[in-house]
Amino acid sequence: EVCFIGRSNVGKSSLIKALFSLAPEVEVRVSKKPGHTKKMNFFKVGKYFTVVDMPGYGYRAPEDFVDMVEAYLKERRNLKRTFLLVDSAVGITKTDNIAVEMCEEFALPYVMVLTKIDKPSKGHLLKQVLEIQKFVNTQTQGCFPQLFPVSSVTYSGIHLLKCFIANITGNLN
C-alpha cells in the first residue's frame, strides 16, 4: 500500500489519475475546487497493491483530518511508502512542515513529490527544487533523498515515479 498526502489543491487526485491512467480499475475523480476529497479513498491497482488518496490538509480540510490521518499512518502495517506532495511553485509551507514532522515522528519512510512543475518559470522551479533538496538533506531523516518533480498535465516525471512505486511495492518485473 502507498498513500499520497499533501495540502488541499496540491494535485493529489490529479497525480494518481496521471500515474494510473492505464489502470482502468483506478477511477479517480478530480474536482476543479480544492478540498474536495473528504475521506481516504482506496484504489486497488490490479491484484498488486493499493493506492490511498488522502484528504488534503490546510484549506477546507475535514474536521477529523488529524485523527483520521494519524491513526492511518501509525497503524497501517502494510503501508510501504508515504508520498508527500508539495506544490513546486509554492515550496514547503508551514502546513507541509507539520506533515513532514508527523512523518518524521512516526518514523515513516516517505518521498517528496513536487507537483505542478509545468506552472512556474524554469528559474523559479530550479530555485524551489534546490531549496527543497537542501531542506530534505538537512532537516529530514526518513525522507527518500531523491525528489520527484512531476506534472499531471504534461506527464513530465510521471514515468520515473511510476517505476519507483513499482519497485517499492515489489512489482518491478
Side-chain angles (χ1 to χ4, degrees), residues 15-56:
L15 176 60
I16 293 170
K17 189 176 180 108
L19 282 167
F20 302 103
S21 60
L22 300 176
E25 65 276 12
V26 181
E27 278 189 54
V28 184
R29 290 185 48 219
V30 178
S31 173
K32 294 272 181 239
K33 286 183 273 181
H36 198 74
T37 306
K38 295 293 182 199
K39 297 280 175 221
M40 292 186 275
N41 293 312
F42 291 75
F43 301 99
K44 279 227 163 284
V45 181
K47 56 182 182 277
Y48 307 105
F49 63 98
T50 302
V51 174
V52 184
D53 185 6
M54 307 291 260

Side-chain angles (χ1 to χ4, degrees), residues 98-142:
I98 294 166
V100 167
E101 287 167 12
M102 191 168 53
C103 289
E104 292 287 335
E105 183 187 328
F106 300 160
L108 292 173
Y110 65 105
V111 177
M112 223 169 272
V113 178
L114 308 184
T115 61
K116 304 180 182 183
I117 62 167
D118 53 295
K119 298 273 190 244
S121 69
K122 296 267 186 268
H124 183 68
L125 178 62
L126 178 60
K127 182 176 166 278
Q128 290 290 24
V129 168
L130 292 173
E131 276 180 23
I132 295 166
Q133 188 67 64
K134 183 179 178 187
F135 174 86
V136 167
N137 294 347
T138 60
Q139 309 288 313
T140 70
Q141 266 126 33

